[in-house]
């Protein structure tokens, strides 16, 4: 396998394989759901050339502490880099969400 995508519900429609609606025909791999940073399992990245992480919206929405979330994510990424030193690790920025977070008031979702 070449690519692993680890992500929250924003990745739920990504499908590997061949045929209409998939992108894995030329880029074999798998998608793993991780709704929160703590659900990311660095060991699952072993053996992949490309690692894509798209996670963090739920953590910030639930905790309201972006710094703590960023530190937990950095810890996971450091472990992935140690376990997979030749892999290219890509992290998408946290995507905006239309749902306001009371924990982030008064700014709402402005991160």
């Amino acid at each position: 396998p070449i690519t692993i995508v680890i992500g929250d519900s924003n990745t739920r429609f990504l499908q590997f394989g061949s045929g209409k609606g998939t992108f894995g025909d030329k880029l074999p791999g798998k998608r793993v759901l991780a709704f929160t940073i703590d659900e990311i399992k660095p060991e699952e990245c072993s053996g992949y050339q490309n690692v894509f992480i798209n996670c963090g919206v739920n953590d910030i929405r639930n905790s309201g502490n972006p710094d703590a979330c960023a530190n937990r994510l950095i810890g996971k990424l450091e472990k992935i880099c140690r376990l997979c030193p030749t892999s290219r690790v890509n992290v998408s920025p946290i995507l905006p969400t239309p749902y306001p977070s009371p924990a982030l008031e008064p700014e709402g979702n402005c991160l």
Side-chain angles (χ1 to χ4, degrees):
I2 294 175
T3 301
I4 184 169
V5 176
I6 300 174
D8 56 22
S9 61
N10 290 307
T11 66
R12 70 186 174 276
F13 297 117
L14 300 179
Q15 294 183 23
F16 286 90
S18 59
K20 185 177 180 182
T22 66
F23 64 93
D25 190 29
K26 304 275 191 264
L27 190 70
K30 73 175 182 177
R31 178 185 54 85
V32 176
L33 282 176
F35 291 102
T36 64
I37 293 166
D38 293 335
E39 293 177 6
I40 296 171
K41 296 179 181 79
E43 299 80 16
E44 289 184 308
C45 302
S46 185
Y48 290 93
Q49 293 175 16
N50 303 301
V51 177
F52 289 91
I53 308 285
N54 179 13
C55 192
V57 171
N58 296 319
D59 295 272
I60 290 177
R61 184 183 300 146
N62 293 333
S63 77
N65 187 338
D67 290 334
C69 295
N71 288 332
R72 285 200 326 277
L73 182 57
I74 288 168
K76 294 285 185 169
L77 295 172
E78 288 173 342
K79 188 167 185 181
I80 291 169
C81 289
R82 278 194 309 271
L83 291 171
C84 312
T86 61
S87 297
R88 285 174 286 197
V89 180
N90 303 277
V91 182
S92 67
I94 294 175
L95 299 172
T97 175
Y99 305 106
S101 172
L104 296 177
E105 293 298 333
E107 294 88 8
N109 284 332
C110 300
L111 301 176

